[in-house]
Amino acid sequence: MKTATRLVHAGRNPAAQQGMVNPPVYHASTVLFESLDALERAAANPFEGVYYGRNGTPVQFAFEDAVAEMEGAFGAVTTCSGLAAITAALMSEAEQGAHFLVTDNVYGPTRKLCDGLLKRLGVTTEYFDPTISAEALEARITDATRMLFVEAPGSLTFEISDIPALADAAHRHDATVMADNTWATPLYFNAFEHGVDISIHAATKYLVGHADAMLGVINCNETHYMNVRKTAAGMGYCAGPDDIYLGLRGLRTLGQRLPTHQANAIALADWLAEQPEVARVIHPARADHPQHALFARDFTGSSGLFSIVLEPVARDRLAAMLDHLELFGMGFSWGGYESLILSVDPNRSRTATRWEHDGPTLRIHAGLEAVDDLIDDLAAGLKRLRA
Ligand SMILES: *Cc1c(COP(=O)(O)O)cnc(C)c1O
């Protein structure tokens, strides 16, 4: 069945809940067992069915079934935020003396985790150019290399890596391949078909989709599922049932929302590329993106987030543009129904490469508004920039 249909039906079982369309949201810590037998049976298998609130409730199991099905994963593990999903995944491979290879355009807090907590635990992280060839990557793999981490397109700068080739190189040396797949969602990049073992999603973004909950989910293949599940559980990670409910509810309309984010972002990118104040538009779905061919080969769509580089401009002119936008909000996160714009400095969180830019870099999230209104808002902003 097609994606839109699967999104509506994945993880649903109305017959098990008195015909209700959606699963119940149980608020639970204690789960009572009827007998010593039942208690001992549950304790032998604490990850099957309900056991204790921290190990999950029916709404979590429904969310995990649905997300795993959408990406063709063996199983999914829910966490309380996208960063917690990344932490659990990385911790599942962390050990004293391990070597991690991480893309240089990785989400900033992922880098902080590697350079902070993981370093203290004795894990060495080496960063590589996201456009690295498989041969060059393989040359960096040592006996200690346990994990390859990719993120395509990369946070802020949107490079596309050759994930299948890099994954092959990692697998030749028994390293686990993880991807932060938040941008594409399970709809536009099937990580497992491209060699990834563990696909991480900040569900806070498009899955929740309404800027009203923090949530993470880790899709795993069969080899890694139980290790990731036990690592997340061992660290005490769990998400609240109301937030998981919002993730599941958001998933049902992802097939309608994402194409609108996509169309609005491409329309904004194409319009911005024509403006004299804009030096460069960085959107992987545009033919002028340096890795557009890789994007066209591996991705089935693009979401709503991209960047532009402005021509050099005084800070007060930039502030005049950004401070008075009516529709674009300034703030962290993205993936909600509303448009956002953020001034960013990619060089603050990269070490293996440098971000070459003329003027300021702006990251734009195209929301679900009418795109003509968004263009009018940006046009007025660029007029203030020029004034
Ligand atoms: C936002 C984000 C995260 C972290 O998600 P939170 O839910 O905010 O913790 C991870 N990766 C990427 C690419 C993100 O944009």
Side-chain angles (χ1 to χ4, degrees), residues 81-84 86 107 151 155 180 182 202 204-205 214-215 333-334:
S81 71
L83 183 57
I86 293 164
Y107 178 63
E151 184 178 322
S155 270
D180 184 330
T182 300
T204 306
K205 310 291 167 58
M214 305 296 302
L215 196 66
S333 200
W334 47 278

Side-chain angles (χ1 to χ4, degrees), residues 42-340:
N45 257 325
F47 298 112
E48 253 164 51
V50 291
Y51 176 70
Y52 177 49
R54 199 175 57 220
N55 287 20
T57 57
V59 73
Q60 178 183 316
F61 306 143
F63 176 66
E64 290 171 348
D65 287 350
V67 174
E69 181 180 331
M70 291 316 299
E71 202 169 5
F74 175 79
V77 177
T78 308
T79 58
C80 52
S81 71
L83 183 57
I86 293 164
T87 307
L90 292 179
M91 288 298 282
S92 77
E93 292 291 340
E95 64 181 12
Q96 168 79 31
H99 176 240
F100 284 2
L101 280 165
V102 175
T103 183
D104 204 33
N105 58 6
V106 75
Y107 178 63
T110 307
R111 178 185 287 266
K112 284 206 183 93
L113 178 68
C114 291
D115 296 347
L117 177 65
L118 289 177
K119 188 175 172 199
R120 278 201 280 127
L121 298 180
V123 175
T124 310
T125 301
E126 185 177 341
Y127 297 95
F128 61 87
D129 183 334
T131 64
I132 197 169
S133 69
E135 299 72 49
L137 182 88
E138 198 158 3
R140 292 167 180 236
I141 296 177
T142 71
D143 289 346
T145 306
R146 288 283 303 264
M147 197 278 300
L148 168 71
F149 195 100
V150 292
E151 184 178 322
S155 270
L156 308 182
T157 49
F158 300 92
E159 298 90 342
I160 303 286
S161 300
D162 189 343
I163 294 178
L166 301 186
D168 277 352
H171 285 152
R172 279 195 286 278
H173 301 269
D174 291 329
T176 301
V177 179
M178 298 187 193
D180 184 330
N181 199 14
T182 300
W183 183 89
T185 82
L187 268 52
Y188 288 163
F189 181 72
N190 186 310
F192 299 98
E193 285 173 5
H194 294 87
V196 172
D197 302 304
I198 296 174
S199 174
I200 302 160
H201 298 274
T204 306
K205 310 291 167 58
Y206 287 122
L207 273 53
V208 166
H210 294 71
D212 52 4
M214 305 296 302
L215 196 66
V217 62
I218 313 162
N219 265 336
C220 305
N221 65 14
E222 188 168 3
T223 309
H224 293 90
Y225 170 72
M226 210 21 107
N227 185 33
V228 170
R229 165 73 68 201
K230 286 182 176 169
T231 305
M235 293 194 298
Y237 284 3
C238 60
D242 294 315
D243 290 338
I244 299 172
Y245 185 85
L246 292 175
L248 185 60
R249 181 157 117 156
L251 195 68
R252 302 297 177 207
T253 57
L254 188 62
Q256 269 58 46
R257 290 183 286 111
L258 212 51
T260 306
H261 287 293
Q262 165 170 253
N264 282 358
I266 289 173
L268 288 181
D270 289 347
W271 180 82
L272 284 161
E274 300 296 315
Q275 307 311 308
E277 297 82 5
V278 177
R280 199 148 50 99
V281 171
I282 305 122
H283 190 311
R286 278 174 55 87
D288 61 0
H289 186 279
Q291 295 92 39
H292 176 68
L294 281 179
F295 173 80
R297 186 193 70 187
D298 292 344
F299 290 70
T300 54
S302 58
S303 62
L305 196 74
F306 66 101
S307 283
I308 60 171
V309 179
L310 295 174
E311 295 290 353
V313 61
R315 194 181 172 286
D316 67 322
R317 291 295 90 215
L318 179 66
M321 171 188 174
L322 297 178
D323 290 356
H324 303 289
L325 290 170
E326 285 182 5
L327 302 179
F328 287 84
M330 263 192 286
F332 297 105
S333 200
W334 47 278
Y337 53 79
E338 80 290 13
S339 290
L340 298 167

